[in-house]
Amino acid sequence: QGMCAYQCKLELPFTCFKLHAPQTAYDEGLLSIAMLEQKVSAKWQHALSDATAAVQYDAFFDTNIAFWVQSLDEYIAHWQASTPDLEYFGIEWSWSEAINADIDSTSTTTVYSILVHSPSSAAMFEFISFAKPSTALYAAVRWTTSELPRATFRLQRDGYPWHREDAATIVPVRISHAVADVDAMRDFYSNVLFATELYSAAAAVDDDEGAQAKTVFMGLSGTRIELQFVERAESATYGSFTVKLLQDLLMETHDSIIVSPYCGQDRWMDNHYAYSTWAIPDLMDKVYDALVENDVKYKVSLSNYDRASVYGKAQLDKIGFDGEFTYGLWIVEPDGQAIQMHGLLSKSGIAKWASFSDPQWCLNECDNGLVAGTVDPSRVYVDDEEYEETVLVAASLNVKHIASDTQYVVEVVLGAVCVSLMIGALYYCMSRIRRRKNGRYHSGGDEEYITL
């Protein structure tokens, strides 16, 4: 509500999934939000800089959220008619029985994706369809190919998006992160979050230049949105700002600011998806024990039942919850990104030390005399890269035209996804956010969230 932070949520049609955009005042640590947005924008500028050459796929592009859509035509047509120009390109990839033998939606094995970047931000969205765009619209898009699968749909087997009774035209299906070590992510999700490995590919040839990549898909218990982690060569990016460097900066930020499970909150923890475990008995207790055993950085918070979402209250009522409060775990992944886990803990003593999450997201989050840590100022990232001329122009526009960027993001990217009434609501909220310094995008829902 603007007391200490701003947020805006947009619920997509057909599902309870939400795109969530927070702007908090927590410490950014070693890397500013604006710096990452500039870096990602520069990588997009470089990837699309030569209209006569193949798209130069960048490792950072693997951090996105994907939606299955019935047809790409309406999206491409909408983006073509938008001003300023939206940054996007197409990816043709294939599925096989090795990925998912149950897919029967089409007689062809080719899948079509459009990867979209919201300019002057780090937000990326992918739209996936089995239907090839119409001839004219297909020809209007720059395409590249990928031998690496971009979704498996394995968590959707009890009701694929294209078989839904409500004839949904858009369904969230996958959250993806670019990572420096796929094996570390697989181990973390298997041993700490008790996730199931859905599919993996080692040393797969990807993109037009034959770069090497590894990927693994993981599924959390009780979810329908799969998680993908992609590792590429450290050099598979434009400039010296690599996926590994981003990971190191985020991990040191978390390590410096989170001084205990009960104190410390940095702004990069906003960069998360949320996972509700109300209906999965004892899972949160098992995860808590695994966090301690594996020395994972995390933070515990408390929340009143009255502040739970409609979905959360329904799940708590379903299990006959009559307690005083529920728990939240902020968990740091090995790649520096975060997870917000909701559920119940039976461990004694935690409630004594854990603080209640502030409804206004204010900074007074530590109780019992604990004080959050700070980073070493001498280690704050300083940008010393030289950019291409077009990138410098984009960086300048990022500073001078924040309000127009907001309208652009809302009316162009999300406008194609949501019904018109939702577009107006989001534009109002995001305009307030973007008029503030360092606004950022964050997406999620009652069951799962992600920040891009």
Side-chain angles (χ1 to χ4, degrees):
Q1 299 177 0
M3 182 179 296
C4 296
Y6 291 86
Q7 71 163 330
C8 184
K9 289 185 179 181
L10 173 69
E11 184 171 315
L12 298 183
F14 306 107
T15 68
C16 64
F17 192 84
K18 294 182 177 70
L19 298 172
H20 177 36
Q23 180 194 355
T24 65
Y26 297 122
D27 191 343
E28 294 180 323
L30 297 182
L31 180 69
S32 70
I33 305 302
M35 180 61 70
L36 179 63
E37 292 176 338
Q38 178 178 311
K39 291 294 185 182
V40 172
S41 296
K43 294 174 190 299
W44 269 86
Q45 289 277 326
H46 177 74
L48 302 177
S49 60
D50 187 349
T52 64
V55 174
Q56 301 177 62
Y57 193 95
D58 194 284
F60 276 80
F61 298 171
D62 291 320
T63 296
N64 64 75
I65 179 170
F67 304 89
W68 171 87
V69 295
Q70 284 186 352
S71 171
L72 292 168
D73 282 7
E74 62 180 307
Y75 297 92
I76 298 172
H78 182 80
W79 299 331
Q80 285 182 330
S82 302
T83 302
D85 293 338
L86 181 64
E87 292 178 314
Y88 62 92
F89 62 89
I91 305 170
E92 295 185 49
W93 53 282
S94 300
W95 63 266
S96 66
E97 289 190 357
I99 301 174
N100 192 340
D102 294 338
I103 292 181
D104 59 356
S105 66
T106 177
S107 59
T108 178
T109 60
T110 302
V111 188
Y112 302 88
S113 287
I114 301 288
L115 189 60
V116 183
H117 173 233
S118 172
S120 302
S121 81
M124 286 167 277
F125 306 86
E126 184 165 344
F127 300 86
I128 300 173
S129 179
F130 289 103
K132 183 178 181 178
S134 62
T135 302
L137 292 176
Y138 178 87
V141 176
R142 294 178 63 184
W143 292 89
T144 187
T145 59
S146 173
E147 296 299 324
L148 204 63
R150 304 187 69 83
T152 74
F153 300 100
R154 289 190 176 188
L155 292 182
Q156 309 268 340
R157 282 176 170 169
D158 61 343
Y160 289 118
W162 48 89
H163 287 161
R164 287 172 58 122
E165 293 183 357
D166 60 0
T169 58
I170 180 169
V171 178
V173 294
R174 190 264 291 144
I175 291 167
S176 177
H177 286 177
V179 300
D181 188 343
V182 155
D183 293 332
M185 299 304 295
R186 177 193 288 109
D187 292 344
F188 172 82
Y189 270 83
S190 298
N191 300 325
V192 177
L193 296 176
F194 305 98
T196 300
E197 182 175 334
L198 303 175
Y199 179 79
S200 64
V205 177
D206 191 51
D207 80 28
D208 293 332
E209 297 183 357
Q212 299 295 300
K214 296 193 296 184
T215 189
V216 63
F217 289 84
M218 305 296 293
L220 292 169
S221 179
T223 65
R224 294 176 56 81
I225 299 176
E226 61 189 1
L227 303 170
Q228 181 181 17
F229 304 99
V230 184
E231 175 189 344
R232 300 181 189 272
E234 190 168 359
S235 60
T237 188
Y238 168 66
S240 62
F241 193 86
T242 65
V243 172
K244 179 63 164 59
L245 176 57
L246 173 61
Q247 172 184 300
D248 291 344
L249 290 169
L250 297 188
M251 291 301 292
E252 185 173 339
T253 292
H254 298 316
D255 288 340
S256 299
I257 294 177
I258 306 173
V259 296
S260 86
Y262 309 107
C263 182
Q265 181 96 6
D266 62 73
R267 194 175 176 192
W268 289 104
M269 293 166 70
D270 292 336
N271 208 27
H272 69 265
Y273 67 83
Y275 176 35
S276 296
T277 65
W278 316 112
I280 309 176
D282 304 322
L283 177 59
M284 199 162 180
D285 278 327
K286 291 173 60 180
V287 170
Y288 180 87
D289 289 340
L291 292 172
V292 175
E293 180 180 349
N294 291 276
D295 196 26
V296 176
K297 184 71 69 171
Y298 69 96
K299 183 192 172 188
V300 186
S301 62
L302 305 176
S303 182
N304 290 317
Y305 169 86
D306 293 340
R307 289 187 52 212
S309 65
V310 173
Y311 170 83
K313 288 178 180 177
Q315 293 298 302
L316 290 169
D317 293 342
K318 186 177 180 179
I319 63 175
F321 175 76
D322 60 358
E324 182 180 352
F325 44 74
T326 62
Y327 291 85
L329 287 176
W330 292 85
I331 303 169
V332 176
E333 297 178 340
D335 63 348
Q337 307 299 338
I339 306 164
Q340 186 180 20
M341 188 173 185
H342 304 289
L344 302 175
L345 286 173
S346 63
K347 309 295 182 181
S348 61
I350 296 178
K352 175 183 177 181
W353 290 94
S355 59
F356 278 89
S357 55
D358 192 290
Q360 295 292 335
W361 296 349
C362 295
L363 298 178
N364 57 333
E365 89 278 2
C366 295
D367 289 336
N368 301 300
L370 297 174
V371 179
T374 58
V375 300
D376 181 348
S378 68
R379 295 184 57 78
V380 172
Y381 178 78
V382 177
D383 188 12
D384 58 359
E385 286 192 285
E386 294 184 4
Y387 296 95
E388 298 171 357
E389 183 176 354
T390 55
V391 173
L392 289 175
V393 172
S396 177
L397 291 174
N398 182 35
V399 175
K400 296 180 180 178
H401 300 295
I402 293 177
S404 62
D405 286 347
T406 302
Q407 180 178 2
Y408 172 70
V409 171
V410 173
E411 294 184 352
V412 179
V413 180
L414 299 180
V417 180
C418 310
V419 295
S420 58
L421 182 59
M422 291 181 178
I423 298 172
L426 180 65
Y427 175 67
Y428 171 77
C429 296
M430 291 302 296
S431 295
R432 295 187 64 187
I433 292 175
R434 277 294 197 182
R435 282 197 293 266
R436 309 284 297 186
K437 184 179 180 181
N438 292 343
R440 62 187 300 221
Y441 288 135
H442 178 100
S443 56
D446 286 329
E447 298 183 35
E448 295 175 275
Y449 296 75
I450 186 176
T451 297
L452 300 173

